[in-house]
């Protein structure tokens, strides 16, 4: 096995100190809330920008409102290596989701600076604007902009106090009038470290997960119409109970998803998170039911099979419950984003080189890397988090777990820097 390239070491004290310091810049009495576009968010970014400068990086906010620290490379015109995630949180969130990825990027830049290592490629550390669903009804705002996927119409979406997203981006230093300037074509590799937000790595005692794909999400709405009736006088035989149909669908969703996930053709989960029966009264046989299904896949063929099978099952359920399947609608349908296979290999080799155990796994949650993968080879490193808990104040990863993830990223950065050079040298011949 090749020895690690990284002489530079990730400082646990510094990385942890920064995470905890940023964890103090949150809404008072509401741990740990730093909503995008809020005063605390801006304050957190000012703190981050100062740390970026301390690490010898130049700092700017791009047209999409992303905070970018840049370390120039030795070779002018070479592609950029980008590392980062997001510093905003959900309401009542944790100190690690997103933030760990930004601080890991910062720490990597510092580790390189400490050891006098200059890369051939420019290195950028990024804090994407508003990854979590914002008050403007949109998530991943900064990474969308960087992928050229932030629409003019989305800029007009209105948030608190009637402010448009356009003016909010301007308020945090972006230039929505030139939003296309945020689009990047120069990124040779994007790496994002993130807490897993699930229980798998902890349960298996592994150091890191190398992400294969960020799931595609399909949302379906099903509606059943039966007949409302008196709960006391309508005999059990002959009822047209829409809630019975809904209950059968909940079970069918679980069974189909379990079968698809067990096929070995990629991660698959599905949830009936909305079950709404009418009139929702104790003494009335429900006459109508509406369900919203959230299904997530690593590959689109599994999703197609799920939708087809669920449609067939729903028709059968309607017939069996003497209800009518009045609607089966696809509300939204996003394809999975695949992580770059070569970068995955570099990350796996880097993990082995620095002595970290690793597994390949899909991400069931959305991330900025999904948008970045549209314009750059992108990959992700997951680190374990306690009990798989996330989006809550109890969110936790141990310092050693974060250091291990950052060390894998640092090693990968050096390998990418060198590998890309080799590729170019071959190209020159
Ligand atoms: Zn996140």
């Amino acid at each position: 096995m090749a020895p690690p390239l990284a002489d530079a070491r990730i400082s646990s004290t510094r990385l942890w100190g920064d995470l905890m310091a940023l964890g103090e810049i949150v809404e008072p009495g509401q741990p740990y809330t730093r909503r995008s576009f809020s005063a605390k968010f801006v304050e957190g970014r000012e703190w981050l920008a100062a740390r970026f400068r301390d690490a010898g990086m130049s700092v700017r906010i791009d047209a999409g409102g992303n905070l970018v620290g840049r370390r120039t490379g030795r070779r002018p015109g070479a592609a950029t290596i980008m590392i980062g995630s997001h510093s905003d949180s959900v309401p009542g969130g944790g100190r690690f989701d997103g933030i760990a990825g930004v601080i890991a990027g910062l720490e990597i830049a510092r580790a390189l600076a400490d050891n006098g290592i200059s890369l051939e490629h420019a290195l950028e550390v990024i804090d994407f604007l508003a990854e979590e669903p914002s008050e403007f009804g949109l998530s991943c705002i900064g990474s969308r902009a960087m992928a050229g996927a932030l629409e003019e119409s989305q800029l007009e979406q209105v948030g608190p106090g009637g402010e448009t997203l356009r003016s909010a981006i301007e308020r945090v230093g972006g230039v929505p009038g030139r939003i296309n300037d945020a689009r990047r074509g120069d990124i040779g590799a994007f790496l994002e470290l993130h807490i897993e937000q699930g229980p798998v790595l902890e349960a298996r005692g592994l150091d890191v997960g190398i992400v294969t794909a960020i799931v595609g999400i399909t949302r379906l709405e099903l509606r059943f119409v039966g007949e409302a009736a008196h709960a006391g006088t309508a005999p059990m035989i002959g009822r047209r109970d829409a809630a019975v149909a809904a209950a059968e669908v909940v079970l069918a969703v679980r069974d189909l998803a379990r079968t698809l996930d067990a096929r070995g053709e990629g991660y698959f989960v599905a949830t009936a998170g909305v079950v709404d029966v009418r009139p929702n009264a104790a003494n009335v046989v429900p006459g109508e039911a509406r369900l919203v299904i959230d299904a997530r896949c690593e590959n689109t063929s599994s999703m197609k099979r799920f939708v087809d099978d669920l449609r067939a099952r729903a028709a059968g359920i309607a017939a069996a419950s003497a209800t009518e399947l009045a609607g089966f609608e696809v509300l939204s349908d996003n394809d999975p984003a695949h992580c770059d296979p070569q970068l995955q290999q570099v990350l796996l080799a880097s993990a082995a080189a620095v002595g970290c155990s690793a597994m390949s796994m899909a991400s069931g949650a959305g991330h900025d890397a999904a948008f970045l993968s549209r314009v750059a080879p992108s990959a992700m490193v997951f680190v374990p988090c306690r009990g798989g808990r996330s989006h809550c104040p109890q969110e936790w990863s141990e310092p050693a777990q974060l250091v291990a993830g950052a060390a894998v990223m640092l090693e990968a950065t050096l390998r990418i820097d060198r590998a890309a050079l080799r590729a170019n040298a071959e190209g020159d011949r």
Side-chain angles (χ1 to χ4, degrees), residues 415-428:
R415 287 174 180 237
I416 291 163
D417 191 53
R418 195 170 281 194
L421 257 185
R422 223 182 8 250
N424 280 319
E426 279 165 14
D428 288 342

Side-chain angles (χ1 to χ4, degrees), residues 402-420:
L402 293 158
V403 167
V408 172
M409 298 272 286
L410 170 59
E411 174 70 14
T413 302
L414 293 166
R415 287 174 180 237
I416 291 163
D417 191 53
R418 195 170 281 194

